Amino acid sequence: EAGVTQFPSHSVIEKGQTVTLRCDPISGHDNLYWYRRVMGKEIKFLLHFVKESKQDESGMPNNRFLAERTGGTYSTLKVQPAELEDSGVYFCASSQDGRVVGTEAFFGQGTRLTVV
Amino acid sequence: LAKTTQPISMDSYEGQEVNITCSHNNIATNDYITWYQQFPSQGPRFIIQGYKTKVTNEVASLFIPADRKSSTLSLPRVSLSDTAVYYCLVGWDTGRRALTFGSGTRLQVQP
């Protein structure tokens, strides 16, 4: 069974440019999460999808970040325009029905974003 | 969400048992305790999860006292490949389904 896949693995862009990160969750997982770790900081929650709906986007830092999950399958996270402080590793995770407490989440390898 | 406190780092030698304790004084009734492992350049990987008493799987054991204000991850006979960061997470009740990561414990296993 394929795990959570993220693309690209690395991205280097200039300040002001746009970058789109993609996450393919495990097939059948309705719950999809985005997290990120900026340099020297903890892994922070960004948002949570249940199928195609945003269940919780309280962790999104500002309106330069836009997440979508069309059709409830893969998800994209767009940063536009990118700023230096957006550099970090962006992780995606998926899990089965989130209404079941204590559900295990499966993480992707992450996308390392560097804004220069 | 309950805040967790763990040691920043630990050192061990191959073949030893390692116990990492996590404090979570504000754990809620519905909260589970989950431990993740993360290697460099990889995403976190689920190790074990429990609600109370003791849970054991092929990788680790998790000990949770009756008051549930702390938990201990036990790794039997560690090897060099167990060198990683270990995160204790508390939460995931029916109202909030997102994980909250703390700073984790960096375990270094020496030969």
Side-chain angles (χ1 to χ4, degrees):
Chain A
E1 177 184 314
V4 176
T5 306
Q6 293 187 243
F7 181 83
S9 56
H10 294 86
S11 180
V12 181
I13 62 171
E14 293 184 350
K15 175 182 174 181
Q17 289 186 323
T18 298
V19 63
T20 300
L21 313 181
R22 172 169 170 147
C23 169
D24 286 76
I26 293 174
S27 178
H29 282 190
D30 288 340
N31 293 271
L32 186 148
Y33 308 84
W34 283 98
Y35 291 82
R36 75 170 180 176
R37 169 190 276 141
V38 295
M39 183 65 72
K41 303 289 187 179
E42 300 171 356
I43 299 173
K44 294 288 190 183
F45 165 79
L46 294 178
L47 87 159
H48 169 209
F49 283 100
V50 177
K51 296 184 180 180
E52 67 276 10
S53 300
K54 292 177 184 175
Q55 181 74 17
D56 180 355
E57 52 185 329
S58 61
M60 295 288 265
N62 52 61
N63 58 11
R64 295 186 293 104
F65 289 76
L66 175 63
E68 295 180 324
R69 192 182 182 195
T70 306
T73 55
Y74 71 91
S75 174
T76 58
L77 179 65
K78 180 189 290 187
V79 185
Q80 178 183 31
E83 299 290 344
L84 299 178
E85 64 263 26
D86 300 331
S87 296
V89 182
Y90 290 76
F91 293 104
C92 174
S94 72
S95 68
Q96 290 180 329
D97 188 351
R99 288 175 294 178
V100 177
V101 294
T103 305
E104 174 183 349
F106 296 84
F107 281 78
Q109 300 276 67
T111 293
R112 181 173 296 277
L113 174 65
T114 303
V115 183
V116 298
Chain B
L1 295 175
K3 182 176 173 58
T4 60
T5 302
Q6 347 173 191
I8 294 175
S9 63
M10 295 182 69
D11 293 308
S12 183
Y13 292 94
E14 283 190 293
Q16 289 189 329
E17 177 184 77
V18 171
N19 296 309
I20 306 174
T21 297
C22 177
S23 306
H24 27 81
N25 292 319
N26 297 322
I27 189 169
T29 302
N30 292 335
D31 285 346
Y32 274 65
I33 300 158
T34 310
W35 286 79
Y36 278 77
Q37 174 192 56
Q38 186 179 26
F39 299 112
S41 302
Q42 293 189 22
R45 184 176 73 100
F46 174 90
I47 300 176
I48 197 167
Q49 186 174 77
Y51 184 80
K52 61 180 179 180
T53 63
K54 176 184 175 182
V55 179
T56 297
N57 62 22
E58 65 278 5
V59 177
S61 293
L62 179 59
F63 298 92
I64 306 168
D67 65 7
R68 305 202 323 125
K69 293 184 182 300
S70 67
S71 59
T72 299
L73 174 72
S74 181
L75 305 172
R77 301 180 59 80
V78 294
S79 64
L80 296 177
S81 62
D82 292 317
T83 294
V85 178
Y86 293 81
Y87 295 97
C88 162
L89 299 99
V90 173
W92 225 325
D93 62 16
T94 53
R96 290 290 298 272
R97 292 188 281 275
L99 296 167
T100 299
F101 286 83
S103 54
T105 297
R106 185 173 300 277
L107 173 65
Q108 180 69 49
V109 180
Q110 310 274 8

